[in-house]
Amino acid sequence: MKIFKTIREHFFLGLLLILFSPLMAVAQPPMGGPGKGFNPEKFQKEMEQYITTTAGLSPVEAARFFPVYRQWKRQERALFDQRRRFHWIDVTSDRACREAISQFDDLDIKQKQLQQKYHRAFLKILPARKVFQIIRAEDEFHRKVFKQFFKRHH
């Protein structure tokens, strides 16, 4: 049961990261120089470095893993982008809300199926212990980022 809790937390933190990315960008000072504003490339680079170090990936392992990982994240991002349209649902219409709930559930299922597909792909590239360490490292990185963000803004 502990693994389901970890996967659930991983999913929840990933969802929060995706949902708060626009907020983080808006909350930062305008981009105008080095270190100003949210930089997605820098964020990705720092996350990949954290995952590499924490999971103990060799340069060869990292070179094989991260292209597949980035592909997963692009596809996952597309699913989260589809969720944005739910902000514009007419909440006074039961029919529209019912359809939105059904579509939201379908997107949840697609997201979990995509995650499962890529976890299986990772297991073909790396040993299971390293894949699990990567999952935990990504989760830890997201927690650190959120703590830093809220510490700066609260």
Side-chain angles (χ1 to χ4, degrees), residues 30-42:
M31 294 187 72
K36 306 250 179 177
F38 179 71
N39 182 333
E41 293 83 17
K42 181 181 176 196

Side-chain angles (χ1 to χ4, degrees), residues 103-153:
Q103 291 171 6
F104 195 84
D105 290 345
D106 289 345
L107 286 172
D108 275 347
I109 291 167
K110 286 178 184 176
Q111 191 278 331
K112 291 310 281 181
Q113 289 172 335
L114 185 67
Q115 181 184 48
Q116 186 178 46
K117 171 187 166 184
Y118 276 94
H119 283 175
R120 288 178 179 160
F122 299 159
L123 290 168
K124 291 178 182 176
I125 298 169
L126 299 169
R129 64 183 164 73
K130 290 218 176 182
V131 172
F132 191 74
Q133 289 171 328
I134 288 167
I135 293 168
R136 288 173 69 183
E138 182 185 28
D139 181 52
E140 290 169 9
F141 181 80
H142 291 152
R143 287 175 191 259
K144 283 178 53 175
V145 168
F146 281 118
K147 282 181 184 176
Q148 291 170 356
F149 175 76
F150 287 115
K151 197 179 284 186
R152 278 194 314 248
H153 294 93

Side-chain angles (χ1 to χ4, degrees), residues 13-71:
L13 287 171
L15 177 63
L16 284 175
L17 179 64
I18 298 298
L19 295 175
F20 282 111
S21 291
L23 175 64
M24 290 168 57
V26 170
Q28 297 291 326
M31 294 187 72
K36 306 250 179 177
F38 179 71
N39 182 333
E41 293 83 17
K42 181 181 176 196
F43 176 85
Q44 180 179 337
K45 183 178 177 182
E46 289 175 359
M47 182 171 58
E48 289 181 10
Q49 182 60 50
Y50 187 84
I51 289 171
T52 300
T53 303
T54 305
L57 298 180
S58 71
V60 171
E61 290 171 327
R64 292 181 64 211
F65 170 74
F66 281 112
V68 178
Y69 177 83
R70 289 182 204 114
Q71 181 181 2

